[in-house]
Amino acid sequence: MKKYILIVQGGGRPKGNTAQLVSAFAQGAESAGHTVETVSLLKNEVKGCLGCNACRYGKPCVQKDAFNDLVPKIKAADCIVFASPLYFWTISARIKAFIERFYCIAAEDPAPPLGRYEKYPVKDCALLMTAADDFFWTFQQAQSYYQFALVNYIGFHDRGMLLAGGCGDTNGPPQIGKTGHLERAYVFGRDLYPTEAETP
């Protein structure tokens, strides 16, 4: 079954390592017949949640930014892919702000599971990340946030992660093309949803 995949790109460089990783992933997913849409948070500003709780009283989010226009895409998507460079050992502030604003699309849950208070739309999710460093612990903070916030708390279904380390010096030009990560991203996108024949 073909899917609608929404990629949310939180990098600051339009042609940087993360943008290239996203492009390769999208090409792979499209080759499998999926519909892919990429939204850049560099072009679509999303501010962090204010915690005002207006949305808990039936009001729309009080902030007038791009998130309100993205809500229909979020609700329509089968899978939301979060793409970010590694900033201070975790996801970028743009991606973090985007996730925080999910608060305004949550519904009341009369019997929430442990650790949750509200009900979110059921989605699949995946994580794409790039970094200059490539230590065994480079992505641990980001992986932890992804797992706890998106999978454990919001309740999304994890489809996997591609953590692309060793993409060149932060002060230099993108070097991801020399790493093999783009090829892996293409395959990740292509195989995100195995066909019935491939499913054991």
Side-chain angles (χ1 to χ4, degrees):
M1 181 180 295
K2 304 310 178 186
K3 307 288 186 179
Y4 168 41
I5 300 171
L6 177 65
I7 305 175
V8 182
Q9 184 176 321
R13 300 176 181 178
K15 297 182 181 179
N17 291 314
T18 304
Q20 293 182 47
L21 195 71
V22 164
S23 178
F25 175 90
Q27 290 174 32
E30 289 171 344
S31 76
H34 303 302
T35 299
V36 181
E37 183 173 1
T38 300
V39 172
S40 169
L41 297 182
L42 186 64
K43 298 179 180 178
N44 298 272
E45 183 184 21
V46 174
K47 300 174 184 176
C49 179
L50 296 174
C52 68
N53 273 345
C55 59
R56 289 299 183 266
Y57 297 93
K59 299 178 181 179
C61 183
V62 299
Q63 301 202 71
K64 308 304 179 186
D65 59 14
F67 188 81
N68 298 309
D69 296 328
L70 296 176
V71 169
K73 299 179 188 295
I74 293 168
K75 291 183 175 181
D78 297 295
C79 180
I80 302 175
V81 179
F82 300 84
S84 174
L86 186 78
Y87 286 167
F88 284 80
W89 309 111
T90 189
I91 59 172
S92 71
R94 291 184 181 92
I95 290 288
K96 177 67 163 55
F98 175 77
I99 294 170
E100 285 181 4
R101 293 286 291 284
F102 280 18
Y103 189 66
C104 73
I105 60 174
E108 184 178 354
D109 192 341
L114 181 66
R116 288 178 64 190
Y117 303 96
E118 53 266 325
K119 185 184 301 181
Y120 292 88
V122 178
K123 305 290 173 188
D124 293 335
C125 64
L127 179 67
L128 302 175
M129 290 198 71
T130 59
D133 291 324
D134 197 18
F135 302 114
F136 73 89
W137 45 264
T138 294
F139 294 101
Q140 283 185 351
Q141 291 283 359
Q143 286 177 275
S144 178
Y145 179 81
Y146 171 81
Q147 180 66 45
F148 278 89
L150 292 169
V151 180
N152 295 2
Y153 182 69
I154 291 178
F156 286 174
H157 302 144
D158 177 34
R159 302 296 301 187
M161 295 179 279
L162 198 164
L163 307 174
C167 292
D169 189 281
T170 54
N171 293 324
Q175 299 291 319
I176 194 169
K178 300 178 180 179
T179 65
H181 293 312
L182 299 181
E183 291 79 4
R184 284 188 280 276
Y186 180 91
V187 172
F188 184 27
R190 183 194 66 193
D191 299 343
L192 190 67
Y193 289 99
T195 62
E196 292 182 6
E198 296 171 340
T199 304

